[in-house]
Amino acid sequence: MPEGDSIKRIANAWSDFTDERLILTSPQGRFSGEAARLTGSKFTSAEAHGKHLFLEFEHQQFIHVHLGLYGRFLWHKRGATPEPKPTTRLRAVHEAGMVELSGPTVCELITPARKQLIHARLGIDPLRPQDSIKTLLPWLQKSSWPIGKTLMEQSKIAGIGNVYRAEILFMLGVNPWIANKDVSKDNWNNIWLLSQELLSNGVTVGHIKTTTPNLPPPVTLPPTVTLPTVMPQAYVYMRTGEPCFSCSTPIEMVEFYSRRLYYCPNCQNVKTLNV
DNA sequence: TAAGTATGTTAAG
DNA sequence: TTAACCTACTTAC
């Protein structure tokens, strides 16, 4: 489930290993040399930037991980020592437990210089307290990119993926095709605040759930529409053809820059503009 | 039980 | 542009 909230949660989980000397192996083989070199080094900290994870070991050694679509961390309790799965890229063992990483797009041992390069190509992250939409506004107010593309562009905003993109635009009633420069500064601030709120909530609850009672869609509910007693995880994501919770119009889906984009054509004013 | 699909990115061609 | 990564969940049979 790799959007930014998941990576932040994984970074938090790694803090259990802080100051421990780990035994690292790579049953799958593609990280064997690096695992052997790091074994016995003290793990010092974990950091998330967007969907990228950095595991720091003493002497400024970093493991850079990107889960991609299939990558998973599997945590084992203290004392549990299951047989290593042959697909495990990285296995880390110490007294407090064990973790296995499988299927990542990226798992590499990097220097501080390379880490800096990776940060430099990533945009502002709603989960990083030091980041602000203010630094991106000058570019946004000149850009003709559709906002639906911008929210997914990791070099501009890091951590939002296909689920949060669809949900943020729906919750604020924004047409995904509208140009960045046609979105007001106030609306960018609202998008940023909502991103922070939704991703933080994802870190807390452990999965993406945008449909909490505290975060209703801003669209006014007609009196004839009743929300289901048990709300699903999302308002529009993966709900093609089902009625919008706000206006009952069927949710639509199109291919958009090689990814699927879900939206309510009515609440997000798609018909009255272009598609 | 099998088949299909997905919250993503990289590198080969 | 396409294949690779090779998990976990949902749906079909």
Side-chain angles (χ1 to χ4, degrees), chain A residues 112-267:
Chain A
R114 168 139 172 82
K115 179 170 182 280
Q116 279 313 308
L117 282 176
I118 296 165
H119 285 301
R121 68 171 200 234
L122 290 172
I124 51 174
D125 179 344
L127 291 176
R128 286 165 77 91
Q130 69 269 36
D131 288 359
S132 164
I133 191 70
K134 283 181 186 166
T135 58
L136 193 60
L137 278 173
W139 177 80
L140 290 168
Q141 292 178 330
K142 287 184 292 186
S143 162
S144 297
W145 281 17
I147 186 171
K149 175 179 165 69
T150 308
L151 291 190
M152 288 277 283
E153 180 61 42
Q154 301 300 305
S155 63
K156 303 299 179 189
I157 300 175
I160 292 175
N162 208 14
V163 183
Y164 283 125
R165 182 261 300 266
E167 296 293 293
I168 289 163
L169 293 175
F170 169 76
M171 292 173 79
L172 296 176
V174 175
N175 181 321
W177 285 269
I178 219 165
N180 289 335
K181 61 186 177 189
D182 296 328
V183 177
S184 71
K185 189 178 161 187
D186 279 353
N187 281 338
W188 279 116
N189 283 328
N190 289 338
I191 288 162
W192 183 247
L193 286 172
L194 182 59
S195 304
Q196 292 177 316
E197 213 167 341
L198 292 180
L199 269 75
S200 298
N201 186 58
V203 175
T204 305
V205 304
H207 55 89
I208 298 175
K209 181 171 171 59
T210 57
T211 55
T212 68
N214 295 330
L215 298 167
V219 188
T220 307
L221 295 173
T224 51
V225 176
T226 311
L227 290 173
T229 319
V230 178
M231 287 294 283
Q233 307 290 84
Y235 291 111
V236 292
Y237 177 72
M238 285 285 276
R239 294 194 62 245
T240 309
E242 296 174 49
C244 172
F245 292 126
S246 184
C247 72
S248 296
T249 303
I251 301 302
E252 293 184 1
M253 184 275 286
V254 293
E255 285 288 321
F256 181 87
Y257 293 96
S258 304
R259 302 299 299 274
R260 291 179 178 188
L261 171 65
Y262 301 84
Y263 59 94
C264 171
N266 180 42
C267 294

